[in-house]
Amino acid sequence: MASPPPSIIRVIDLETTGDKPPLHAVCEIGWQDVALGADGRWELQGEGGSRLVHPGRGIPPLTMAIHHIRDEDVADAPTWHDVARPILDPWPRRVALAAHRASFEEQFCTPALTRGADWICTWKCALRLWPDSPGFSNQMLRYWRRPEGMEHERGLPAHRAFPDAYVTAFHLRDMLNEASVAQLIEWSSQPGLLPRVRYGPDRGKDWSEISEDSLEGFLTDRDEDVRFTAETERNRRRGGAPVGRGGSTQRLLF
């Protein structure tokens, strides 16, 4: 009897002409799969890859300075709609897609292209699982955590689609070996739960350390992650279950 196809989560990273579609468009996509093994552990699978994409417009110098992809590099590349579907909806069918700060990728990887896939945001999940990290960027987590098995050169240069997807895949692998797919998807569907205050007189403090007056001020902040975190802390102080690993969602961890 043939073995069932593995459960795969595909990590995606995009390089683009900017951050506001449809004004801006994709100029490179990279991917790396993470698969559930017969032993119940998640590991990277396959070589991954990347494709240059013709964005249908010029690449501004501001974004060239980040990823170093030039107009001449993509002059003969296929369009986004020619490239996207086979990468975003591969066979064997993926359980979900993942990205670091997935809300960015989701702007370009629409439900029509992903066949309505669930997303895991490794940034939001890192806030929950590794709150002691000094920062939560893809590269900060890379050097703070030093994931086992990562080939340093394969994860370079930063800000190119495959190396960034490769680094994110190691974060995702370790998250999946701590928490369930369902838990990661749930956390990813909510705003970010920030472990520390980002700015102001209480900057750097744990949310449990700030005064009631300070907390009240954050409840109307323009940033939804700040508002969500403040609301969560207020509920904790009023006797509600915390939202983090020890709270009511703990049942989904295994």
Side-chain angles (χ1 to χ4, degrees), residues 7-71:
S7 296
I8 290 172
I9 297 176
R10 176 156 286 187
V11 177
I12 296 293
D13 186 83
L14 301 180
E15 303 302 331
T16 67
T17 64
D19 61 0
K20 294 179 176 63
L23 178 63
H24 299 128
V26 176
C27 54
E28 187 180 37
I29 181 171
W31 67 94
Q32 174 65 60
D33 292 338
V34 180
L36 180 63
D39 62 355
R41 302 286 294 174
W42 291 84
E43 294 293 345
L44 272 66
Q45 181 183 80
E47 292 297 307
S50 66
R51 293 288 302 275
L52 289 170
V53 179
H54 195 299
R57 67 214 69 195
I59 303 173
L62 181 65
T63 53
M64 272 192 223
I66 297 170
H67 50 54
H68 304 287
I69 300 171
R70 305 164 298 172
D71 292 328

Side-chain angles (χ1 to χ4, degrees), residues 123-247:
W123 176 75
K124 289 181 179 179
C125 294
L127 297 174
R128 306 274 194 154
L129 292 172
W130 307 318
D132 294 334
S133 175
F136 296 92
S137 71
N138 205 29
Q139 298 299 327
M140 174 64 82
L141 290 170
R142 169 189 189 165
Y143 291 110
W144 181 70
R145 297 184 54 249
R146 300 292 181 99
E148 183 180 352
M150 180 183 292
E151 297 177 28
H152 180 71
E153 296 298 328
R154 194 161 167 77
L156 295 173
H159 306 302
R160 287 301 298 266
F162 172 72
D164 282 359
Y166 175 76
V167 171
T168 301
F170 279 91
H171 303 323
L172 178 65
R173 176 201 67 182
D174 295 343
M175 290 170 178
L176 288 164
N177 287 325
E178 285 193 52
S180 72
V181 173
Q183 177 68 93
L184 299 185
I185 290 173
E186 180 180 322
W187 284 337
S188 300
S189 71
Q190 300 171 349
L193 187 66
L194 307 172
R196 295 176 292 278
V197 178
R198 281 179 171 170
Y199 50 78
D202 293 312
R203 181 179 179 181
K205 290 183 180 179
D206 187 281
W207 286 85
S208 64
E209 297 174 336
I210 69 174
S211 70
E212 286 289 338
D213 287 344
S214 293
L215 186 62
E216 285 295 319
F218 287 119
L219 291 170
T220 55
D221 196 275
R222 288 183 295 178
D223 187 311
E224 70 168 354
D225 298 328
V226 173
R227 292 196 308 273
F228 177 72
T229 304
E231 289 165 2
T232 301
E233 174 60 18
R234 181 180 62 177
N235 291 340
R236 185 194 68 80
R237 294 183 186 190
R238 292 179 177 178
V243 177
R245 296 180 68 175

